[in-house]
């Protein structure tokens, strides 16, 4: 039996283009895809040879291939972090804790714990409820205590990896770092507001609103501003290697890395409190939208 429902009116030419999805719908779809991809990866992966990274681009972007080849002159391996929007904070703190574990630098560990503890009062003063962050802060301090007790209780790198793969431990520490970053940005509003103005066509009206939207929520991606704020807040120097497609392939563009090759740009985030010549304690690799951990060769 033929339908008695009225037919939809066709558009010009007998068809009508579907409405364009809203920006919010597109963002939601991207977040869903990213969340699905994240489920199959650990928060922090195993250390891998840079050849594994280069292999991802061998049939694609040759600029990336050549830049990764050049990276091999200064870096020996890398470690993946989950692409869930928290990769910068997770990679940053894992690499720092791992460095403390390997160096057993008790002076640095004590300095860091003092700085973290000093943020309790600053956060409360900044309007953050102690109930929200105190357990997360203690979890971070406990990780530092454990890695610096390695010589007496056999704390291993594997145990640090297990801890930072744990949903509760890993995410609470990331949350705490986000709150510290937010508080630092708001405490230095005059310094950071120009950054915010340059980041968006329609920037949030206030620094506080920016932090509520783009710093504090879990899963919000990090950029230059976040790195400046957290490195200053915790006084930890960081170097970020930026891997992008800029430049023209050299050596005939065959991706072999011959003829010198292209070199990824680097940026050092050194807190004002650090003396001249300070070397980075954390090395991160940035690919568009994502951060992984880099391991420098011994000098």
């Amino acid at each position: 039996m033929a339908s008695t429902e009225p037919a939809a009116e066709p558009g010009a030419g007998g068809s009508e283009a579907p409405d364009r999805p809203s920006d919010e719908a597109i963002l939601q779809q991207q977040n869903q895809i990213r969340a699905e991809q994240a489920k199959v990866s650990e928060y922090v992966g195993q250390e891998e040879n840079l050849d594994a990274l280069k292999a991802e681009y061998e049939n694609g972007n040759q600029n990336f291939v050549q830049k990764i080849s050049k990276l091999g002159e200064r870096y020996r391996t890398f470690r993946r972090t989950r692409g869930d929007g928290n990769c910068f904070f997770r990679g940053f703190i894992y690499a720092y804790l791992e460095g403390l574990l390997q160096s057993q630098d008790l002076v640095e560990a004590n300095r860091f714990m003092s700085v973290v503890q000093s943020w309790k009062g600053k956060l409360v003063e900044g309007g953050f409820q102690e109930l929200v962050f105190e357990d997360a802060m203690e979890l971070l301090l406990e990780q530092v205590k454990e890695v610096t007790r390695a010589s007496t209780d056999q704390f291993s790198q594997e145990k640090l990896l297990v801890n930072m793969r744990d949903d509760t431990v890993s995410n609470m520490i990331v949350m705490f770092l986000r709150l510290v970053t937010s508080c630092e940005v708001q405490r230095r509003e005059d310094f950071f507001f120009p950054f915010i103005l340059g980041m968006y066509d329609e920037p949030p009206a206030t620094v506080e609103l920016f932090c509520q939207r783009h710093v504090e929520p879990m899963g919000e991606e990090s950029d230059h501003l976040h790195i400046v704020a957290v490195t200053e807040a915790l006084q930890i120097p960081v170097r970020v290697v930026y891997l992008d497609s800029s430049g023209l392939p050299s050596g005939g563009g065959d991706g072999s890395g011959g003829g010198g090759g292209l070199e990824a740009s680097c940026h050092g985030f050194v807190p004002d409190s650090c003396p001249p010549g300070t070397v980075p304690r954390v090395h991160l690799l940035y690919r568009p939208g994502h951060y992984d951990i880099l391991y420098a060769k011994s000098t």
Side-chain angles (χ1 to χ4, degrees):
M1 178 181 293
S3 172
T4 58
E5 292 293 326
E9 293 185 7
S15 64
E16 183 174 316
D19 291 337
R20 179 190 179 277
S22 67
D23 291 342
E24 183 177 352
I26 293 172
L27 181 60
Q28 184 178 14
Q29 184 182 39
Q30 290 174 339
N31 287 340
Q32 288 174 344
I33 293 171
R34 187 171 65 185
E36 289 300 318
Q37 293 173 336
K39 290 178 182 177
V40 301
S41 64
E42 298 282 5
Y43 286 132
V44 183
Q46 296 290 345
E47 202 170 335
E48 298 179 57
N49 192 285
L50 286 173
D51 286 341
L53 180 62
K54 186 164 64 174
E56 295 181 20
Y57 301 99
E58 284 182 341
N59 296 321
N61 193 313
Q62 295 306 299
N63 288 17
F64 276 58
V65 172
Q66 291 201 28
K67 288 181 178 182
I68 295 168
S69 293
K70 287 289 288 185
L71 275 183
E73 297 175 5
R74 290 175 293 158
Y75 294 96
R76 52 182 175 83
T77 54
F78 79 111
R79 189 187 296 273
R80 301 176 196 270
T81 61
R82 180 181 290 188
D84 58 359
N86 300 309
C87 52
F88 164 71
F89 287 106
R90 210 180 311 272
F92 164 76
I93 196 60
Y94 181 87
Y96 177 73
L97 291 172
E98 185 181 33
L100 287 183
L101 174 62
Q102 293 173 347
S103 68
Q104 287 297 291
D105 187 342
L106 298 183
V107 173
E108 169 61 17
N110 289 331
R111 181 207 65 80
F112 178 70
M113 286 192 290
S114 295
V115 169
V116 169
Q117 289 165 336
S118 75
W119 272 98
K120 181 176 181 178
K122 295 174 187 176
L123 286 166
V124 171
E125 185 180 343
F128 296 90
Q129 294 184 356
E130 186 174 342
L131 184 64
V132 172
F133 66 81
E134 61 180 348
D135 287 345
M137 185 181 75
E138 288 303 320
L139 269 175
L140 175 56
L141 291 172
E142 184 58 34
Q143 299 311 302
V144 180
K145 292 173 185 176
E146 286 192 339
V147 300
T148 54
R149 286 199 299 258
S151 59
T152 58
D153 71 355
Q154 304 301 310
F155 185 96
S156 67
Q157 186 166 324
E158 187 62 29
K159 186 175 179 183
L160 174 63
L161 191 59
V162 168
N163 286 352
M164 290 304 295
R165 286 176 172 177
D166 179 82
D167 284 335
T168 299
V169 175
S170 194
N171 287 327
M172 286 186 71
I173 289 175
V174 168
M175 180 202 72
F176 176 73
L177 295 177
R178 285 185 173 277
L179 296 184
V180 168
T181 303
S182 174
C183 191
E184 174 74 4
V185 172
Q186 292 181 71
R187 290 174 72 246
R188 300 174 60 196
E189 179 176 353
D190 291 344
F191 176 79
F192 283 106
F193 194 56
F195 284 80
I196 297 170
L197 290 175
M199 288 168 60
Y200 304 94
D201 293 333
E202 297 182 9
T206 65
V207 168
E208 181 180 10
L209 189 57
F210 166 80
C211 289
Q212 290 172 356
R213 289 180 179 176
H214 301 290
V215 181
E216 296 169 20
M218 296 289 284
E220 281 292 318
E221 293 184 359
S222 303
D223 56 28
H224 190 94
L225 179 147
H226 300 72
I227 304 174
V228 171
V230 77
T231 52
E232 286 287 346
L234 300 177
Q235 299 167 34
I236 297 175
V238 172
R239 175 172 292 158
V240 179
V241 178
Y242 291 90
L243 188 61
D244 58 30
S245 57
S246 62
L248 297 173
S250 62
D254 62 0
S256 65
L262 296 175
E263 190 161 354
S265 61
C266 300
H267 188 90
F269 296 84
V270 181
D272 293 338
S273 59
C274 293
T278 295
V279 298
R281 289 188 173 271
V282 171
H283 296 255
L284 298 175
L285 174 67
Y286 176 80
R287 292 179 278 169
H290 185 69
Y291 294 87
D292 287 315
I293 301 167
L294 280 172
Y295 293 89
K297 290 183 174 180
S298 300
T299 55

